[in-house]
Amino acid sequence: MVFNSYTFILFFAVILVLHNLPFSWKVKKINLLLASYLFYALWNPPFILLLWLSTVVDFYMARLISVEQRPRNRKLLLTVSLVLNLGMLSYFKYGGFLLENFTALLSAMGIVFHAVKPDIILPIGISFYTFVTLSYTLDVYRRKFAPEPSFLNFALFVTYFPHLVAGPIVRPEDLIPQFKTPRRATGQQLSWGLFLLSLGLFMKVTIADGLLAASADLIFGLPFPVQPLDAWMGVLAFSGQIFCDFGGYSTCAIGVSLCLGFELPDNFRYPYAAIGFSDFWRRWHITLSTWLRDYLYIPLGGNRHGTVRTYINLMITMLLGGLWHGASWTFVVWGALHGLFLCIERFWRDRSAQRRAIRAEAMVDGSMLNRAAIIPPIHVSSPLAQFGLAMLTLLLVNITWVFFRAPTFGGATLLLLSMFGVIPNGAPMLTNLAILTVSSITIGIIVCHWLMRDSSLLAFSKRLPWWGLSLGWSSLLILVILTQKSSGSFIYFQF
């Protein structure tokens, strides 16, 4: 079941009614848990067994870890959880990928090996709920979170339908405490939640699917070069599409949850106004980037063991972050590019900090020799310089999207060469209307992100008159209804 379907509207209406009836809090939580299982089972019922297995194992492993005092046994219990969760994820998501690369490796060594192509179906949302359950077990292991005594609360934490299949990736402290006491949306929460649901559907149905998907699919699906303008429009179309698609899902999830009285963490904060790649990852898929930071980058050593080790840790984190998105080397390259740009940015910032320190020391000493040795640092404090760095960041982000979207390296290379005019006489493919549409939406997204960069949508809405907000909301709903027939599934469902 997906948010952009009439089935979900009926499903959600029933859930809202049941949640506001005078049942006990335990009954309401059971209703939410059963509804979450139904939400997931409507895709492929047998795979709900994997969800149950992950839930049961992590609940009891965490309880055993919390009472065990011997470090060796605690690590052994944690290993059981890691092997089960990562093992299921590896088999269903990466089994075919690993077999294909193993066969290619043997072939390169001169060994003929014909493997039967595995018929593996990727369970929807497995990457997301695996990270949710792992965060719980790891936090209990590190004694950052006490094990939840109620299996009902824990099972609902894992399977709560708004975040189940595509995030946000919640932590135990985000949601479990909210299940301990009765929750019911206030009038303000209900109205704001419905508005966020409408906005998320508008982003997905109208913009991502209705206005951008066709141009992106056309350009990325061509086996021959196109004109530079068409190539850039295709990439920009996908750039806007993936933000409106994934950001739209997160907005829907937060809105739906708010209608029930529960708060989910933000997942996007206007990422196309980011100044640098570290700022980009503080704004794009926030719950994934913080998960990778807390459970991978910092345990690897973070920046505590010297400059070279810091760069290695950054690259490992982003390579695995890229692989998390999909079983393809193109995703690994996408992650590697982000890791490379993060390393370059860190190197540049460290050098700038050293230069400022030398300059400050020289001013204190008053030494002409020290002053002569100073290299003026590059400043980005002025608004113009910040905007320039933001545009460079956006340019590089769009280049990385080529590897994220292209199905093969050949397709990615062909598109990149077309973008920069290396291949002459590319074919014109997009109509003037399509180019105008993509350009207008791209400019609109960038302007909106910059206007809202340091603000919140809720604070902005409170400054609007009631009639202005009502008119905007009505327009969103009308456009969603008119374009609903062209909408498809969310992009991140494949991850």
Side-chain angles (χ1 to χ4, degrees), residues 291-449:
W291 199 100
L292 293 173
R293 179 198 66 196
D294 295 342
Y295 299 108
L296 184 58
Y297 175 70
I298 292 177
L300 284 172
N303 58 359
R304 302 189 302 273
H305 301 293
T307 302
V308 175
R309 181 67 180 273
T310 299
Y311 295 152
I312 293 174
N313 293 339
L314 277 173
M315 287 301 301
I316 292 174
T317 300
M318 296 312 300
L319 284 170
L320 292 177
L323 192 60
W324 177 89
H325 284 82
S328 170
W329 287 110
T330 54
F331 287 112
V332 176
V333 171
W334 174 79
L337 288 173
H338 275 268
L340 176 63
F341 294 142
L342 284 168
C343 290
I344 293 173
E345 179 182 332
R346 188 173 187 90
F347 173 79
W348 171 71
R349 287 183 175 177
D350 289 346
R351 288 293 300 271
S352 296
Q354 291 174 1
R355 289 167 174 167
R356 287 193 295 271
I358 295 172
R359 184 175 184 180
E361 182 181 352
M363 289 181 176
V364 171
D365 293 344
S367 168
M368 293 302 296
L369 180 61
N370 286 343
R371 290 179 184 178
I374 295 172
I375 301 174
I378 301 174
H379 293 289
V380 293
S381 57
S382 69
L384 183 61
Q386 287 186 343
F387 183 75
L389 182 56
M391 291 298 100
L392 176 60
T393 303
L394 185 60
L395 171 67
L396 296 177
V397 165
N398 277 281
I399 290 174
T400 66
W401 282 139
V402 174
F403 291 96
F404 192 96
R405 175 62 177 82
T408 63
F409 279 116
T413 303
L414 186 65
L415 186 55
L416 285 170
L417 294 175
S418 298
M419 290 166 63
F420 293 98
V422 177
I423 301 179
N425 303 320
M429 296 302 300
L430 295 178
T431 64
N432 291 335
L433 179 60
I435 293 174
L436 178 62
T437 300
V438 173
S439 302
S440 301
I441 293 175
T442 300
I443 294 172
I445 290 175
I446 294 173
V447 170
C448 287
H449 282 209

Side-chain angles (χ1 to χ4, degrees), residues 183-315:
R183 290 265 175 164
R184 183 178 178 181
T186 64
Q188 182 180 8
Q189 284 180 318
L190 181 61
S191 59
W192 185 242
L194 290 174
F195 176 79
L196 290 178
L197 176 59
S198 304
L199 177 61
L201 290 175
F202 170 76
M203 293 169 65
K204 162 62 178 174
V205 175
T206 304
I207 299 181
D209 289 349
L211 298 175
L212 297 177
S215 297
D217 292 344
L218 173 63
I219 297 302
F220 278 94
L222 293 174
F224 50 82
V226 296
Q227 291 185 352
L229 178 60
D230 293 66
W232 278 104
M233 288 300 106
V235 174
L236 290 175
F238 178 72
S239 180
Q241 179 194 8
I242 193 169
F243 167 72
C244 291
D245 187 286
F246 191 27
Y249 184 92
S250 295
T251 304
C252 287
I254 293 170
V256 167
S257 186
L258 202 58
C259 289
L260 297 170
F262 304 101
E263 297 181 4
L264 295 180
D266 288 339
N267 216 17
F268 291 87
R269 294 188 187 128
Y270 315 108
Y272 291 157
I275 303 175
F277 273 78
S278 59
D279 190 31
F280 177 80
W281 281 102
R282 284 191 288 267
R283 298 171 177 276
W284 178 274
H285 203 171
I286 300 167
T287 55
L288 173 65
S289 63
T290 54
W291 199 100
L292 293 173
R293 179 198 66 196
D294 295 342
Y295 299 108
L296 184 58
Y297 175 70
I298 292 177
L300 284 172
N303 58 359
R304 302 189 302 273
H305 301 293
T307 302
V308 175
R309 181 67 180 273
T310 299
Y311 295 152
I312 293 174
N313 293 339
L314 277 173
M315 287 301 301

